[in-house]
Amino acid sequence: MTENPAATEDPAAALRRRIDTLRPHTARIWNYWLGGGDYYEVDRMAGDRIRELHPGIGEYARADRLFLGRAVRHLVTEAGIRQFLDIGTGLPTADNTHEVAQRLAPEARIVYVDNDPLVLAHARALLTSTPEGRTDHLDEDLRNVESVLERAARTLDLSRPVALLLLGVVIFVGDDEDPYGVVRRFMEALPAGSHLVLSHTVTSPALPEVDDAVRFWNEHGTPRLTQRTPEAVVRFFDGLELLEPGVVTCSRWRPDDPDGDTPDEVGIYGGVGRKR
């Protein structure tokens, strides 16, 4: 009997076959802007072109990453959260969710979710855990709410509060795919005391260069982005208790030095909401 090659293929090789090196990809460009090394020439060229259209774009990536760290630190130290569901993980860089959370609470449990093969290949190698805690990684799409929750429940206790992290990922859910319904279904399935941490690229008359950069990306890159106004981003928190200072440019969400100079505005807004 002839052996089926697909049945014996190394999982890492299967992931590599799914990686498209001919078109720029947002996760790899983000990694390039953050100073990482997990990108291809096509990503560097697209990233440089976007930076020509909007020279401050690299600061957006850094501001979003710092927002993640501040939000996770708040959730661990002030809200007592010990479980994190991080969807749209992106390529590992410094201070990933599990590193921030387990530095403060070694017993914290984190489930990362992404469907990009390069992200998954690196996640399995780099996103480890403390002995007291646990980290898992799922090859899943944000839109598959029930499947994500079912698989995450192997690591997380969904009867206890969970922080749902959606940083820079809902922009990939088009308006015709019910993005608000997707987020609502996740939060409805989580118990009281759970939190939503969400960031989103915005369109605003004050930031016209962001529109130019997104337009270029949608013509040349993958996956396609859907911008929304700051007011539309606030809608993702409907029914939740928004923590101060609300949904703001993510560089100004509880900055580490609140008495220092006001951080520059970036075209990514973020907020944290609590389910009552």
Side-chain angles (χ1 to χ4, degrees), residues 52-273:
E52 288 175 9
L53 293 168
H54 184 22
I57 193 67
E59 293 304 316
Y60 287 21
R62 284 184 284 275
D64 193 50
R65 196 70 183 178
L66 292 170
F67 166 64
L68 165 67
R70 296 194 303 273
V72 170
R73 288 199 302 271
H74 166 80
L75 292 172
V76 172
T77 60
E78 302 297 328
I81 297 295
R82 297 294 184 268
Q83 303 190 107
F84 296 83
L85 180 56
D86 186 342
I87 304 180
T89 306
L91 285 161
T93 57
D95 278 346
N96 301 289
T97 299
H98 75 286
E99 293 170 323
V100 178
Q102 292 180 343
R103 192 179 301 140
L104 298 166
E107 72 277 18
R109 293 188 167 211
I110 296 88
V111 172
Y112 290 103
V113 181
D114 210 298
N115 62 357
D116 179 87
L118 187 62
V119 170
L120 293 165
H122 282 269
R124 288 172 179 152
L126 299 178
L127 300 180
T128 56
S129 175
T130 60
E132 303 94 329
R134 187 173 170 188
T135 302
D136 198 4
H137 324 93
L138 306 181
D139 180 359
E140 271 288 5
D141 189 287
L142 166 66
R143 300 164 185 82
N144 300 332
V145 177
E146 287 74 22
S147 179
V148 169
L149 290 169
E150 179 181 354
R151 297 179 64 190
R154 301 170 190 171
T155 300
L156 307 178
D157 179 355
L158 300 186
S159 69
R160 302 177 61 190
V162 174
L164 173 65
L165 308 183
L166 300 175
L167 276 80
V169 64
V170 184
I171 57 175
F172 303 121
V173 183
D175 289 334
D176 60 341
E177 299 176 290
D178 191 19
Y180 298 103
V182 169
V183 175
R184 184 176 62 251
R185 282 156 56 204
F186 271 109
M187 294 307 299
E188 286 176 348
L190 299 177
S194 294
H195 287 68
L196 169 65
V197 182
L198 183 145
S199 68
H200 198 299
T201 302
V202 298
T203 180
S204 166
L207 299 164
E209 65 275 12
V210 179
D211 296 342
D212 293 337
V214 170
R215 190 159 38 247
F216 172 85
W217 174 258
N218 284 339
E219 291 172 358
H220 300 280
T222 183
R224 184 177 178 82
L225 309 182
T226 297
Q227 283 177 284
R228 296 181 173 96
T229 64
E231 294 77 16
V233 177
V234 173
R235 281 186 57 200
F236 286 108
F237 295 90
D238 281 357
L240 303 178
E241 175 190 354
L242 258 179
L243 305 189
E244 292 293 336
V247 177
V248 296
T249 179
C250 64
S251 56
R252 297 176 185 168
W253 194 90
R254 303 193 180 191
D256 289 327
D257 183 9
D259 298 322
D261 294 336
T262 301
D264 292 337
E265 181 172 6
V266 297
I268 301 177
Y269 275 48
V272 178

Side-chain angles (χ1 to χ4, degrees), residues 16-83:
R16 286 194 294 272
R17 283 194 302 102
R18 288 170 51 192
I19 297 172
D20 182 357
T21 62
L22 300 179
R23 295 189 68 188
H25 192 283
T26 180
R28 302 193 305 250
I29 292 179
W30 208 250
N31 181 264
Y32 170 56
W33 286 333
L34 286 170
D38 299 313
Y39 58 87
Y40 297 96
E41 180 65 11
V42 66
D43 305 306
R44 184 194 65 77
M45 293 174 63
D48 287 345
R49 176 58 181 141
I50 293 172
R51 193 146 45 190
E52 288 175 9
L53 293 168
H54 184 22
I57 193 67
E59 293 304 316
Y60 287 21
R62 284 184 284 275
D64 193 50
R65 196 70 183 178
L66 292 170
F67 166 64
L68 165 67
R70 296 194 303 273
V72 170
R73 288 199 302 271
H74 166 80
L75 292 172
V76 172
T77 60
E78 302 297 328
I81 297 295
R82 297 294 184 268
Q83 303 190 107

